[in-house]
Structures are given as structure tokens and as C-alpha cells.
Amino acid sequence: HPEPQKPNPTYFNYNPASIHGPNHWGNITVLNSTDNYWHEFGFVENRCNAQDQSPIDVCTKPTRDCKEHHEFRTRRGDYNVDSELMEKQILHNKLRVVMARRIGEEPDPPQVDFAGIGSKKLDMLNIDIKLKSEHTICGRRFDGEMQYYFFHPVRQALIAIAWLFEAQPENPENEHLQLLIEEFQNLYDENSKLCSENENT
């Protein structure tokens, strides 16, 4: 997508050659309001810098090893892909699924049991899907990337898990991911119809 001529202070992109790209993310304004998605967790300051932020080439970092007993285990929860409890959003730089926040013992959002970070099960906050991948492995950029986000209430920190996509005709079909793709397609079709109706009125 071309850069807007007059971008708002929160605009950013992933183009390394752009003044709004990763090397300049530290200059972006972070809103202390509900317009800032992470506001509910108290993140109202820009924490980006060229050393610690995404995108990361995992060929060279992180340098620490992941211990065997740190294995995490996913738990499906009670939300269905087509449920209103999973809000689909088509954003300018990603597809996002926002999980309805827990309001009691049930229903359970999707969860991950993190064995090595001093916490048990954490509720998933959202899923981000980016095409092509944000991260690379030894310089190789993959066809896509899916990121799961969580909030650690003790450390007051976000935790992200990234999955890299490699689309090949011989790969087995991922039926569950296909359901999600179809949900985004339906949302796109609905929005396109509304746009056409507005243009004709």
C-alpha cells in the first residue's frame, strides 16, 4: 500500500526504506486513549527501538536456549472461529482477531500454558496475521506470519508467539486456518458491498 500523503502521528509501516519503517518506530506517537489498542494494559509509552523491537532475524537472536521443560501447551477454549466472541478486523497492515475478554469462569478464551515464565494458563488477547512474514530466519522471509498475543499480569508484559507460514501446493490443507480465512473473506465482501452502496447514494 502507498504511504498516505498526510499520515496521522500513529502511522507506521514495515518498509525499511521508509521514514515510517522499523528504524523510525521510536518516533511514533503512542496515544494515551482507547485509540491505542494496548491502552487497557497500561502501555502508553513508545517502547520501540532499533535493538529490541520486531522484526527480528532469529538466525542470530535471541541467543539463549529454550529449555525442554519450558514447552508451552495450547488449550482450545470455548470460542468458535465464526463466533462474535472473536472479532475480525481488516487493518492497513494486518488481519487481526480480537478475543472477547474473560468476564467469569466460563466461557474460556483460547489459552496457552506457559511452563517456563512463572505463570500457568494465560488467555489469548488477539491473533495477528501478516503477509509476508514480519520476522525472518537467516534472512529468509516467509509467505506469512501468525502471532498470538498474551498479557502476563505479574510481569506486566506482553508475550507473543509467532508462527511462520510456508505456502506450498504439496502441503496438507490447514482446515482450521481455512475457516478463519473464509471469515475474513466474508468480512471483506460485506465491507465492499457497503462501500458500493455508499458510492451509489
Side-chain angles (χ1 to χ4, degrees):
H1 299 287
E3 294 181 4
Q5 293 183 353
K6 295 181 179 180
N8 63 51
T10 61
Y11 174 79
F12 68 95
N13 60 35
Y14 291 87
N15 180 0
S18 169
I19 61 172
H20 305 289
N23 292 328
H24 301 277
W25 283 352
N27 301 325
I28 295 171
T29 299
V30 177
L31 298 178
N32 185 9
S33 71
T34 53
D35 291 332
N36 170 11
Y37 177 74
W38 305 112
H39 176 266
E40 67 176 293
F41 306 104
F43 299 123
V44 296
E45 296 180 358
N46 189 335
R47 301 186 180 187
C48 293
N49 61 68
Q51 286 74 43
D52 300 328
Q53 71 191 31
S54 298
I56 294 173
D57 188 337
V58 296
C59 185
T60 57
K61 55 185 179 181
T63 56
R64 61 186 177 87
D65 295 326
C66 185
K67 305 300 182 183
E68 182 178 355
H69 61 274
H70 287 183
E71 178 184 1
F72 59 82
R73 293 176 171 84
T74 59
R75 300 181 183 275
R76 177 177 177 177
D78 301 315
Y79 295 6
N80 293 323
V81 170
D82 59 352
S83 167
E84 293 184 357
L85 296 173
M86 297 177 65
E87 179 190 355
K88 292 80 180 176
Q89 300 176 351
I90 300 176
L91 306 178
H92 77 277
N93 62 335
K94 65 175 73 76
L95 302 175
R96 171 170 283 173
V97 183
V98 179
M99 307 298 163
R101 305 300 188 239
R102 178 188 294 277
I103 57 175
E105 291 296 322
E106 298 287 343
D108 285 328
Q111 300 170 310
V112 168
D113 188 344
F114 292 94
I117 62 170
S119 180
K120 295 184 179 179
K121 298 186 294 292
L122 295 180
D123 292 344
M124 186 184 297
L125 304 176
N126 62 277
I127 299 172
D128 285 355
I129 299 176
K130 302 173 182 179
L131 305 172
K132 292 188 170 188
S133 70
E134 176 180 325
H135 299 87
T136 56
I137 297 180
C138 299
R140 180 188 175 191
R141 193 170 302 281
F142 286 74
D143 296 318
E145 180 172 342
M146 180 168 61
Q147 300 166 343
Y148 293 176
Y149 282 87
F150 306 83
F151 179 69
H152 196 298
V154 177
R155 298 186 181 186
Q156 292 292 295
L158 292 170
I159 299 172
I161 303 173
W163 314 86
L164 300 179
F165 293 161
E166 184 175 43
Q168 298 292 340
E170 64 271 16
N171 287 350
E173 181 177 351
N174 187 323
E175 296 180 358
H176 198 66
L177 180 60
Q178 183 62 40
L179 291 175
L180 183 57
I181 292 172
E182 291 171 1
E183 287 293 312
F184 279 114
Q185 182 65 60
N186 291 338
L187 177 60
Y188 176 85
D189 292 342
E190 291 172 5
N191 291 341
S192 295
K193 181 180 179 181
L194 291 174
C195 288
S196 297
E197 292 174 351
N198 290 335
E199 291 175 355
N200 295 328
T201 56

